[in-house]
Amino acid sequence: MSDEEMLRRLGTHPEIRNRIASLLSAVDDTAGDLKLADDAELRLTQELQRMGSEAMQAWASTQVNACEQDVRHSGRAHREGKKNSAGTPHLAT
């Protein structure tokens, strides 16, 4: 993947971009508080765990959106339930 493609994709996932920035700050010890290897390991592990969690959330959101679009475009959405006060049925997916 090119640098340009990486930057473009990180632009669509700001939570991942921010986590990578935090990870790099820990690697470079920009705060100056990681003097011991144990402290650095703990911070880096925490950052990676957070990034994994945020990546899973982003993946799940992408999957939900794709599924919703598929249902809407395929016509598989069906009407269900009583009509609302405006006289139109509720739409269930």
Side-chain angles (χ1 to χ4, degrees), residues 1-10:
M1 176 182 306
S2 69
D3 290 348
E4 293 81 17
E5 175 69 6
M6 177 73 75
L7 290 174
R8 185 191 69 74
R9 292 180 71 185
L10 286 172

Side-chain angles (χ1 to χ4, degrees), residues 26 29 33-45:
D29 191 19
D33 61 344
L34 300 176
K35 301 300 181 203
L36 301 175
D38 286 345
D39 295 337
E41 180 182 26
L42 178 62
R43 173 84 54 80
L44 293 169
T45 301

Side-chain angles (χ1 to χ4, degrees), residues 3 7 12 24 28 34 37 40 46 49 54 58 62 66-67 76 93:
D3 290 348
L7 290 174
T12 65
L24 290 173
D28 293 337
L34 300 176
Q46 289 170 338
Q49 287 173 339
E54 290 169 358
T62 300
C67 184
R76 289 184 293 178
T93 54

Side-chain angles (χ1 to χ4, degrees), residues 74-85:
S74 70
R76 289 184 293 178
H78 62 280
R79 297 179 188 277
E80 181 179 285
K82 297 180 182 179
K83 291 183 180 180
N84 63 23
S85 60

Side-chain angles (χ1 to χ4, degrees), residues 11-85:
T12 65
H13 298 286
E15 67 284 354
I16 302 300
R17 185 196 63 213
N18 293 339
R19 190 56 55 205
I20 289 173
S22 294
L23 184 63
L24 290 173
S25 291
V27 169
D28 293 337
D29 191 19
T30 56
D33 61 344
L34 300 176
K35 301 300 181 203
L36 301 175
D38 286 345
D39 295 337
E41 180 182 26
L42 178 62
R43 173 84 54 80
L44 293 169
T45 301
Q46 289 170 338
E47 291 296 337
L48 288 169
Q49 287 173 339
R50 288 181 190 126
M51 186 166 45
S53 177
E54 290 169 358
M56 284 301 301
Q57 289 173 0
W59 173 84
S61 179
T62 300
Q63 295 301 311
V64 166
N65 290 336
C67 184
E68 286 176 351
Q69 291 300 320
D70 182 46
V71 167
R72 290 183 203 287
H73 292 0
S74 70
R76 289 184 293 178
H78 62 280
R79 297 179 188 277
E80 181 179 285
K82 297 180 182 179
K83 291 183 180 180
N84 63 23
S85 60

